[in-house]
Amino acid sequence: MKQNLSLLLVLATAFTAGAQIKKTTKPTQAYTVGNKKVSVYVTAQNSDLRIRKTETLNFVTNKQPFETEPCVFIDPTIKYQTMVGIGGALTDASAETFAKLSKKNQDELMEKYYNPTSGIGYTLARTNIASCDFSSGSYTYVQDNDKELKTFSVAHDEQFKIPLIKQAIKAAGGKLTLFVSPWSPPAWMKDNNSLLGGGHLLPAYRQSWANHYVKFIKTYESMGMPIWGLSVQNEPMAKQKWESCVYTAEEERDFIKNFLGPTLQKSGLASKKLIAWDHNRDQIFQRASTILNDKDAAKYVWGIGFHWYETWTGSNMQFGNVKQTHEAYPDKALIFTEGCKEKYDVTKLDDWTLGERYGYSMINDFNSGTAAWTDWNILLDENGGPNHVGNFCFAPVHADTKSDKLIYTNAFYYMGHFSKFIRPGAKRIGSASSRDKLQTTAFINPDGKVAVVVMNQSDEKLKYSLWIKGEAATTTSLPHSITTLVIE
C-alpha cells in the first residue's frame, strides 16, 4: 500500500511539474502573411534610384517553388540576435569639417543622417577619447605626470567635437547610443613615452589609466552626452604612426580583470557596455577566447568589437571568424566598431564598389551574429581628412569646404538600406537566397514590420520571389543594386 501511495505521489509530482513547464514555455509565435503588402526601396547603379520606393508587391500562393525559380526565403518565426543600432563615428575630423559648413548644410547633414523618416535614421555613434589619426593634431586631457588626474579637462573637445555630438543627439530625437574608444594613453604612461608608434601601458599607471576612462565618461555625461559603452583600446595589435598602444590578449584580459572592470563597478559605471578587442576579424576568435575563457575577466565584458581592414581583400573578409566567435560565446554581443575605404582618391568618389563593400560586409556580419554596426567618420573634407599623419580615407559623405558642397557617395545609401529600415530592438530572422548572386539578411522590427535586404553585385537583372510560408511576392533585382523590402 505504501509503495502504491509513493508511486502515486511521484506521478502526481511529475504531472504537476510537467504542467508547470507546459504553462511557462511559450511556443514559437506563428507568422501569417495574410493581406500584407511589400514596399520595395531601391538604390541602383546607372540610375537615379537612391533608397527610392519603386513598387508595392502583393503575395500570391506558391506552396513549393521549383528550383528554376530564384527565391529569397524568409521565416520570421526563426529569430537570432537583437539589433542594438547602426551608425558612424563622430571624430575630430568630422567635427572640424562640419564646423566649416554653412548652417543650411549642417542642418541638412544632421537630418540626412539621423532623421528616420527624411533621412537614414542613424541610432549609434562612436567617438575618440583624446586624439586619434583623424584629429588635426595630437592632444591629451591631462598634464604630464599627473597620476591623480587633477588636471583632467576636455576643453579641447568643446570647440568642435562636443558641439557636433550634441547636434547629432538632438537630430536623432534626443537619444543616441554613444560609445567611446581611446587610441593611446598619455605618453608618460607608456614605455615608449610617445602617443604614437604603439608602445605599452606601463604597469605603474594601469590604475590611473582605468580612472581616466571614468573621468572621461562622467565629464561627458555631466555635459549632456550620455555614454552607452566603451572599448578598452582601439586596434590593440597595431603599431601605427599615429596614436596607438599595444595590448596582447593576456594583457588586455588582465587589465580588464584587475583594473578597468573593477574600477567601472566601483565608480557606479557597471552598466556601461565594455567592448574588448576593437580590431580586425582576423584575430577576433583568439582574442575573444583568451579573454572570455577567464570568468573573472569575462564578467565585465559586454561584447567583442571588430574592424575590417586586415581582411579586406576581395570577397575573403573572414566572416567565419565572426560566426565562430558568436557560436562559441552566444551570451556576448558582437559589434562592428570601425570600417572605411582607405587611400582617399577624389576621382573615386563615384566608385560603385564603395557602397557594395558596405552592403557585403553588413549582410555577412549580421548573418554571423553581429548586433551593432558602426562606420568610421560620418564626414570628411575634400582631401579625405583632416588627418595629422596623412592617413586620408573615404567617408559616406564628403564636404567640399571651399564651395560649401556636400557630396553623398553611394556608401551613404547602402548603409541607409539597413539603418533606415532595421531599427534598435529588431530581431534577425531566418533568411536564405537560392542564388549566390543575391545576398540577403532580414529582421523583424519591434512594430512587427519585416525588413529584408537583398543585394545584387552582378551585371545581371535578376527576377526573384520573396517567399514566406507558402506565399510569394515577385520582383526584379537590378544590376549592382541594393533593395530593402518592407513587409507591413
Side-chain angles (χ1 to χ4, degrees):
M1 187 69 176
K2 285 182 179 180
Q3 287 179 336
N4 290 339
L5 184 60
S6 298
L7 180 61
L8 286 170
L9 286 170
V10 169
L11 290 172
T13 302
F15 177 81
T16 303
Q20 289 173 340
I21 292 170
K22 191 173 182 180
K23 184 178 179 182
T24 57
T25 301
K26 293 182 180 179
T28 302
Q29 190 174 8
Y31 182 90
T32 56
V33 172
N35 295 320
K36 291 183 173 68
K37 295 184 181 298
V38 184
S39 297
V40 181
Y41 299 84
V42 180
T43 293
Q45 189 180 32
N46 300 323
S47 78
D48 60 356
L49 299 175
R50 298 295 183 270
I51 318 183
R52 183 183 298 178
K53 185 175 179 180
T54 58
E55 59 182 331
T56 301
L57 310 177
N58 295 304
F59 284 98
V60 297
T61 300
N62 184 355
K63 293 297 182 183
Q64 178 59 62
F66 288 96
E67 65 177 37
T68 54
E69 301 175 64
C71 287
V72 170
F73 300 104
I74 304 298
D75 189 341
T77 67
I78 297 174
K79 296 179 181 177
Y80 302 97
Q81 77 272 21
T82 301
M83 174 62 71
V84 172
I86 298 169
L90 303 167
T91 59
D92 290 308
S94 294
E96 290 168 30
T97 303
F98 183 81
K100 294 177 182 178
L101 294 173
S102 63
K103 179 68 164 54
K104 175 180 172 291
N105 278 337
Q106 287 182 346
D107 291 344
E108 176 188 315
L109 188 76
M110 289 293 98
E111 180 181 1
K112 291 290 188 182
Y113 263 124
Y114 296 102
N115 189 300
T117 304
S118 56
I120 63 172
Y122 270 11
T123 55
L124 182 64
R126 181 194 192 204
T127 198
N128 46 297
I129 299 176
S131 59
C132 65
D133 49 331
F134 279 91
S135 304
S136 289
S138 296
Y139 65 90
T140 63
Y141 299 130
V142 292
Q143 295 177 10
D144 286 357
N145 303 313
D146 178 15
K147 190 173 182 179
E148 302 301 319
L149 310 181
K150 292 178 180 178
T151 59
F152 185 91
S153 169
V154 296
H156 171 278
D157 298 356
E158 294 185 69
Q159 184 177 7
F160 298 117
K161 193 165 65 170
I162 287 174
L164 174 62
I165 293 171
K166 288 187 174 182
Q167 286 196 57
I169 292 171
K170 182 180 179 182
K175 181 182 178 182
L176 186 61
T177 300
L178 176 64
F179 69 99
V180 298
S181 305
W183 266 242
S184 176
W188 51 271
M189 289 189 183
K190 297 169 64 182
D191 61 5
N192 68 342
N193 198 33
S194 174
L195 294 173
L196 319 179
H200 290 254
L201 175 66
L202 289 166
Y205 295 113
R206 287 170 183 163
Q207 187 57 58
S208 292
W209 183 228
N211 294 340
H212 191 281
Y213 296 80
V214 173
K215 280 274 192 183
F216 180 84
I217 291 170
K218 289 191 173 182
T219 300
Y220 259 47
E221 292 197 326
S222 72
M223 300 173 77
M225 296 166 288
I227 305 300
W228 168 81
L230 66 156
S231 67
V232 180
Q233 169 64 43
N234 177 73
E235 300 186 347
M237 287 310 299
K239 181 180 178 181
Q240 305 283 25
K241 62 181 179 180
W242 54 84
E243 288 81 350
S244 46
C245 184
V246 174
Y247 290 79
T248 66
E250 292 77 13
E251 285 171 339
E252 185 177 7
R253 176 198 65 198
D254 293 345
F255 179 63
I256 291 170
K257 176 170 60 175
N258 299 321
F259 296 94
L260 185 54
T263 300
L264 291 171
Q265 283 209 335
K266 290 173 187 175
S267 303
L269 301 179
S271 64
K272 305 305 177 187
K273 306 300 188 286
L274 184 58
I275 300 162
W277 187 221
D278 199 2
H279 206 164
N280 296 322
R281 294 188 186 101
D282 53 359
Q283 293 188 32
I284 185 174
F285 182 76
Q286 182 261 352
R287 183 68 53 138
S289 62
T290 301
I291 294 172
L292 299 180
N293 286 347
D294 185 318
K295 62 180 178 57
D296 293 325
K299 67 182 180 182
Y300 297 115
V301 177
W302 172 81
I304 305 295
F306 62 97
H307 302 179
W308 73 18
Y309 302 109
E310 292 295 329
T311 52
W312 194 352
T313 54
S315 60
N316 180 22
M317 297 173 77
Q318 295 183 289
F319 301 111
N321 291 352
V322 178
K323 186 176 182 180
Q324 184 170 345
T325 302
H326 174 64
E327 291 173 345
Y329 306 98
D331 60 326
K332 300 298 182 183
L334 289 172
I335 174 171
F336 184 89
T337 48
E338 184 187 318
C340 74
K341 173 70 171 69
E342 299 175 283
K343 299 180 181 178
Y344 178 77
D345 180 348
V346 68
T347 67
K348 300 290 187 181
L349 283 172
D350 60 353
D351 186 340
W352 202 255
T353 64
L354 286 174
E356 289 184 329
R357 284 292 183 181
Y358 278 86
Y360 183 72
S361 178
M362 294 177 81
I363 286 171
N364 284 279
D365 283 334
F366 290 138
N367 287 346
S368 299
T370 301
W373 213 94
T374 328
D375 183 31
W376 191 208
N377 306 278
I378 65 162
L379 176 70
L380 291 174
D381 66 16
E382 62 272 19
N383 300 310
N387 185 294
H388 71 93
V389 287
N391 180 35
F392 301 119
C393 296
F394 288 86
V397 184
H398 284 265
D400 185 335
T401 59
K402 296 172 184 175
S403 61
D404 189 38
K405 180 183 177 182
L406 289 173
I407 303 163
Y408 295 85
T409 75
N410 72 323
F412 173 85
Y413 300 102
Y414 268 71
M415 286 199 70
H417 273 273
F418 300 87
S419 60
K420 184 177 179 70
F421 303 103
I422 302 168
R423 307 302 292 166
K427 286 272 190 183
R428 185 169 69 88
I429 58 175
S431 63
S433 171
S434 67
R435 296 293 186 274
D436 60 3
K437 290 178 181 177
L438 297 176
Q439 298 272 318
T440 187
T441 192
F443 286 76
I444 185 166
N445 284 291
D447 63 2
K449 292 181 182 179
V450 172
V452 184
V453 179
V454 178
M455 190 176 76
N456 176 6
Q457 289 180 266
S458 79
D459 297 329
E460 296 180 38
K461 190 175 182 179
L462 300 168
K463 185 178 179 181
Y464 69 97
S465 293
L466 180 67
W467 189 97
I468 302 177
K469 304 291 185 181
E471 303 285 331
T474 301
T475 187
T476 299
S477 175
L478 297 175
H480 294 283
S481 70
I482 187 167
T483 302
T484 304
L485 304 101
V486 181
I487 305 168
E488 49 191 335

